[in-house]
Structures are given as structure tokens and as C-alpha cells.
Amino acid sequence: MSEFSISRATTISRAASLLALLLIVGLAAAPWWATRADLHLIGEFATYVALASLWNLLAGYTGLVSVGQQAYVGLGGYVLFTTALFLHINPLLAIPLAGVVAAIVALPMAKLVFRLQGAYFAIGTWVVAEVFRLIFAQVTALGGGSGSSLPVEAVRSIAASRDMREWLIYWTALVLGVGSVALVYGLLRSRIGLALTAIRDSEIASASLGVRIGQVKFAVYVLVAAVTAMVGSLIFLQKLRISPDAAFSVNDWTAFVIFIVVIGGIGTIEGPIVGTIVYFLLREFLADLGSIYLMILGGVAIVIMLVAPQGIWGFVARRFGISLFPTGYHVTWK
Amino acid sequence: MDWVNAVVQGVLVGGLYALFAAGLSLIFGVMRLVNIAHGDLIVLAAFVSLVMVEATGLHPLASLLLVVPLMALAGYALQRGILNHTLGKDILPPLLVTFGLSVILQNGLLEIFTADSRKLNAGALETASLSAGAGIDIGVLPLLMFATAVGVIAGLQFIFYRTAWGRAFRATSDDKEVAQLMGLNIGHVYGLAMALCLAVVGIAGVFLAIRSNFDPSLGPGRLIFGFEAVIIGGLGNLWGTLAGGVILGVAQGLGAQINPGWQVLAGHLAFLLVLAIRPKGLFPRIEG
Amino acid sequence: MSDLLLEVTALEAFYGDFQALHGVSFSLRKGEMLSLIGANGAGKSTLLKALCGLVKAAPASIRWMGRNIGGLPPHDIVRLGIGLVPEGRRLFPSLSVEENLVLGGAVNRLGPWGLKSIYDLFPILAEKRHAPSTSLSGGQQQMVAIGRTLMSNPDLILLDELSLGLAPIVIRDIYETLPRITGNGMSAILVEQDVTRALSVARQFICLQEGRVSLAGEPHGFSRDQITAAYFGT
């Protein structure tokens, strides 16, 4: 009988964990070595990593392809502005509140859209987002169709100095970015993750084994909605201004996110991170082209889907057999 | 009286929504594909019509003669060139590819035509109306649109149930593998289905261009209206789709009567209501 | 040139990573009927699917009338004269009985079979021509399935598990029509779970076991024990 050991981590993943830790520490210390513009960029990067990881959890792992997540991004933004305009509490507290509100709203929404399947589900989520947009456009107290700006007192109540305010917002963005990836990773290593993988492989088989598919999907949808809304409230805290069109923009919160996940590698944890890097690089060089830039993004996404549907990271992982965030176990013979 | 008028107008515009939806319904029936770029293709057809009218000075309805065959050809090419390669067990590829297509179309049209609002002038047709008594006026153009919708759906039903073409569609939709054993080239059958779908889209686009202002960003909205008409009416039933379009149109009309800003929202709410109480739609025939 | 209609040489077939057929070889003459027997999962249906193009095969591994047809798409192979009556009938539920038959004839190959001759062969179908195909009894559906494939006037008809799910008396009736089907020179390969029936109907047989030919030849040339051994692979 030969000896063997079972483990999750590999040398590469351990190295990656160490590197990630160093990176996070370095980024946390950014207020001391980066410029204000850098902080903005890193913060924006973190919010897109968050949105992409969450969408990936929904579509890549749970099979719920939503093109309506902008509903919760905008909802989060409006929760922030509502608390700022009417409740006069520290806007940073609005972030967890947005999560709670979104979770509550997501419950009946999920019940509705789950009556649809596949691509019809996708469009259904889009309709929900449109309903949110149209309703908020009617609420004059929040600025109606033209929106409103964040009151100065609300901004001031975050912290005493402007620097401190920027840093707090930056750290919050970092927490949400790292936290979203950690959340997805943790979830996939748990029993829910096992259920999701089983569902992804075969719904019928997993159902016959007692996996409560409906409940798992429902729970993931609500969870993703909540965290997405938290990211949304942070986004609009940074923007200082909200309007229904900006809050519920399909382009900004869904099209770009989908692009990021597809190009990075759908159904992998590393994919959204890789995809966000690619997106920011492309934006750096091509954004001046305006609509042509968007057409290029669309074209690249189509080509990737046809030629390499597993995305950049999916290709790399399969080719070299590496995983930076291992969720499966492997046996090592001694 | 305004309310009755609103209902009548809603019924008639329902015909246009049914035109938006008919292609969606057809393609889903044959190959279980939902084309996210469907609405943008309708807008594309509207712009093609615009170009043709500006180039020839012909009446917009005459542009149908060119727009419809052009769109049909484009549909065949699109299906065989790109979409056929996305079909399979996974729902992600067709969804994401058509999403990418939607982005490309919208931005492409934006680049070429700018975001300016356009409209085609159908001349006397636009203002002509018939009196239905009791102070209700029915515009000739809306009536024509509705009649066209009925005609198109009747035509599609005929094709589906009384021609060899339709037999091939139904067989392929039932069992792709065995359909091949009968000598059907599935790629070609799908191409024909998309050609038919885009021919209908062409008709819808021309009517859209005549009826109201249009610009490159209108696509997603038309997709959603078409989708809502299909779901309200019930999957797999083209006449149901017509009914769905009518219900949507009436809901929007009634909403607009209460508050003009509520028009589209009222339609969405009607859709969500049907989804809540009759998830399979009002006259369903196949499983989603 | 021999009158070998079909030559299968070292045929291999895969479902993903799983190899279903390992180097299967046999040949068929014009007008010949071959029985294909084997346990479940032995590869019988896979072999038929490879012949009609539903499963990929190396081009030279299947020669039909002197040309390589391995790997050709099914819609081309039907045109060349190989027709499959699929396991489990698999009629088109959205089509009526007659529509199923007419669709079968869409390839427009010349031959004795058409709507009229099919209705002569199976009169009950003429009565039910406009009924939805799946509203018929199992045996009647089997008739429609056979008729649908006959409509393409194949030179080789592949019959996959005709008796699946049917009552014995119905099976007997269907088998009684077989000679009329293959009578005018049509070759046939018959896959049949009932070994006795399979061996009594055909002049040649092949036994598959885990994707390999374990026994082949004329039925009366082997004992019961030999066939059982080949079937189960002991």
C-alpha cells in the first residue's frame, strides 16, 4: 500500500496566497505612497473586480445569467443618497444598509424572475432594472429624472479632513474588492460551493442526490444582490452625484462587467481579476475612440466566446494546470 | 372618451409590438435561441429604410421591397456565420455573443448616424384617420400596422404548418439528430429560420421608422417590448404573441392616461403581474 | 469490383474520452441482411450511428459503394442511401403521421417506396395519417418510424431495436413485414435484443462485446454456448 496525502493547496497556490497578502498590504498602505489620482484608479479597479466576481458567481457558477445587476448597483446608490439627504448619518454606514435593503428587495424580485429560464431569465432581470430606473425617475424627492448631488454636509460627515475622507473611501473600496473575491472563494470552498459545482455539472443528478437547487440558486441571487448594492453605494459615494440613467446604466454596470468576466475567464475565481486588468489596459489606450472602443470590446467578447470560451485565465489554467484559488482537492502519492 | 381612445390606440400599437415579438418567438421555437440583438436589428432595419428613402425619394413603405430581402439575407449570413457556432447545451455562448452583437450594432449605428433622432415621413398616411363613431378616430397608419401584424402572423402560421419549410422547422425543433437523418442540413434550416425572422424584423423596422422618432439607442427597449409580448402571450403561440402585444399596448396606453411618464412603466408592471400570476403566459404551447 | 456494398475496416468510435468501438471490421453484400447482437453498452447503437454519420469515424474506416464515407454529416449519408430507423422510434411529435412520412422522403431518392406503397404496407397508418404521430400506439409508431426511413428509398436500412418496448404480438407482426421491406434487394443491418429472433431472421450475424467483434458468421455455424460466451465475454 503506497502512502498518499490529500490537500487543497499547491505550491503555486501557496505562493500566490503569499503574494496576494503582500499585494493587499501594499495596496492598503497606498495612501502613503500613491497620488490622489492613483487612489481613485485603484479604488475603481477594486469596485470592478468586485462587480465582476459577483456576476461571475451568479452566471459562471450558479448558471443565473443576469443582465440586470445594474438594478442593485443603482439601488445601492439610491440608498446612499436617501440616507444622506434624509437621515443625516455617516454615508459609510449607508453601505451595509444598502446591502440589507437590496437583500429584502431581491427576495420578491427573485421569486418573479425565477419563473423564467435561460435567456428569458436574463431579459427578465433587465426588465426589473428598467422598472427600478423608471420608478426612481418618478421620485422627485431624490431628484427625479435629472438626479441629485450628494450634500456637502453628508460628504463632510465621513471624516474631518479631505485626505481622511479619500482614504476611508479608498479603503472601503479595497475591502469590498478583496472581500468580494474572498467571499466567492470562501463560498466555493464550502458545502454550498460543492452544491454549485454539482448543479453546474448536472442539475438532474444533483437534484436526485438531495441538492436543493432552487434554494441554493435563490440564496446566491439574494446574496449577490446585497453585495452588489453595497458596491453600488460606494460607487456613487465616489461619484458624488446620482441620476436614474447613471445608476441603472446597462453599459456601465452590466456590459463592461460581462466583458470583463468573459475575457478574463468565466467560471474561474481568477478570471474576473484578469479580466479587469485587461479592461483597464484597453480603456487606457482605446477609450478615446468612443463608440469604436465599445465596438472593439463587443467584438473581442464575441471572438473569445467563439474561439476560447474559457477566457484568458481559463486557457492558462487548463494549459498549465494551475489554480491560484484552489477549491478542489487533489491526491499526492508519496 | 379619452380612456376608450387610449384602449383603442393601445390595441393598435399592440400590433407593432407583436411584429417586434414574432421573430423572437419564431427563433426561440425553432432553435431555443434568444437573440439579445433582436431590438437592435429592428433599429438597423429602420436605418436601412432611412438610407433607402433618402437615396431614392420613394415612399417609406416602398422601402420594404429592399429592406425585407436585405434583412433576410443578413439573417441567413448571421446565423450560418456566427450564431450556428454558439448553439449547444450551454446557454451562455449565444447569450453573450448576441449581447456583444447588440453592443456592436448600437455603437456602429451611433458612429454612422449619430445620436440624432430620425423619423420617416409617410405623407398623407400619417394623418389620415377613420371615424369609428362615438368620437373615436382610428388612424389609418396604426390600422395598417395592426393589419400587417395579423397578416404576418397568419403568414408565419401558414409557413409553419402548411409548407415543407415549416415541416423542416418543426422537425428540427423536435429532434435535431433525427432531423439530420431525414436529410435536413440543420445549419441551413437554422439559417432559413433566421432569414425569415429578420424578414419580419425588416417589416417591423420600417413601421418603427414611420411611426415614431428613432435613434441608435432604441434597440434594447424594442427587445424588451417584444419579449414582454411573448411572455404575456405564452411561449410557442404566435397568436398568443399578438394578444400579448395588444395587452402590453393597452397597459401602456392606460398608464399614459394616468401620467405620461408612466407609459413604459405600466407595461413593465403588467408584464410582471402576468409573470406573477400566470408564469407560463396566457396561451402557452411549449415549455420555456 | 466485388458486390460488397459496405466495408467497415478497423472502425473506432468515441464519446468524448470514452472509446465505444475498438477496431470493428465487417462487410456487407448487396441484398444481405446482417444481425447485430450484443449486451447493453456493447456498442451496437454506436456502430449504427457511426454508419449513418451521427458519430464521427475515420473516413476510410467506412466504405460505401466504393467511396469513403466515414465522418460525413448525416444529411449527406442519407442521400447516399443509408437510412436509420432510430432506437425508440423518435418520431417528430409536432408532425402528423403523414408529415413524418413526407419528411422522410424529402431527400427525393428514386425507388419503390412512396406514400402509397407505405400505406399498402401498413394500412392502419392510412387511417391515422393526420393524427399527431405520438398519439399512436407503440407498434403503430414503429410502423411510422420504419415507413419514414423507407421513404428515403435507402439501399441499406439500419434497424435499431425494433422490438423495444413493444408487446410480443406486435413485435411478431412487425417482423412479419420485414421480408416485404427487404425483399426487393435492400440490404439491412438489424440490431435486436432478442438473440433468438435476431439469429433466425438473418443469414449473417456479428456479436459485439465491449466495442469489439467477439463472434461473426452464419448463425447455424455456432452452438448456443459459443454465442452466449461471445455475448457475455466469458
Side-chain angles (χ1 to χ4, degrees), chain B residues 160-162 164 166-168 170-186, chain C residues 49 52 54 74-75 78-79 84 86 90 92-96 99-100 102-104 106-107 148-149:
Chain B
F160 248 74
Y161 293 104
R162 294 212 192 278
R167 217 168 19 238
R170 282 180 290 142
T172 306
S173 160
D174 278 344
D175 194 330
K176 224 168 69 168
E177 254 197 355
V178 178
Q180 290 179 73
L181 292 175
M182 301 295 118
L184 292 177
N185 182 339
I186 305 298
Chain C
K49 285 185 177 175
C52 67
L54 285 176
H75 58 260
V78 180
R79 291 204 156 75
L84 172 71
R90 288 173 79 176
F92 299 114
S94 304
L95 273 53
S96 68
E99 285 181 312
N100 267 277
V102 171
L103 190 63
V107 286
R148 185 178 61 177
T149 304

Side-chain angles (χ1 to χ4, degrees), chain C residues 85 91 97-105 109 111-129 136 140-154 157 177 180-182 184 186:
Chain C
V85 181
L91 299 180
V97 166
E98 183 150 303
E99 285 181 312
N100 267 277
L101 294 176
V102 171
L103 190 63
R109 276 174 55 89
W113 296 106
L115 270 184
K116 191 167 176 316
S117 37
I118 303 275
Y119 287 142
D120 279 342
L121 184 64
F122 301 123
I124 184 75
L125 296 188
E127 280 176 44
K128 303 207 169 211
R129 66 208 297 176
L136 270 54
Q140 292 165 348
Q141 287 192 34
Q142 191 61 64
M143 294 179 204
V144 178
I146 295 173
R148 185 178 61 177
T149 304
L150 283 177
M151 288 286 292
S152 68
N153 283 300
I157 190 166
T177 61
R180 282 174 69 185
I181 292 172
T182 56
N184 41 16
M186 189 185 290

Side-chain angles (χ1 to χ4, degrees), chain A residues 65 115 120 138 266 291 294, chain B residues 92 107 111 227 235 262 275 279:
Chain A
V65 183
R115 294 174 187 282
Y120 282 150
Q138 295 293 319
I266 196 165
S291 332
L294 290 169
Chain B
L92 230 57
N107 286 282
E111 274 294 301
F227 156 77
L235 288 173
W262 287 22
L275 193 59

Side-chain angles (χ1 to χ4, degrees), chain A residues 98-123:
Chain A
V100 173
V101 171
I104 295 173
V105 170
L107 290 171
M109 291 304 118
K111 278 212 101 57
L112 277 177
V113 291
F114 274 33
R115 294 174 187 282
L116 299 164
Q117 306 288 338
Y120 282 150
F121 166 83
I123 306 182

Side-chain angles (χ1 to χ4, degrees), chain B residues 121-135:
Chain B
N121 191 344
L125 259 179
E126 294 196 28
T127 45
S129 66
L130 305 169
S131 178

Side-chain angles (χ1 to χ4, degrees), chain A residues 37-55:
Chain A
D38 287 339
L39 287 185
H40 270 251
L41 189 66
I42 302 174
E44 206 194 347
F45 187 90
T47 57
Y48 266 105
V49 167
L51 290 176
S53 298
L54 292 166
W55 190 85

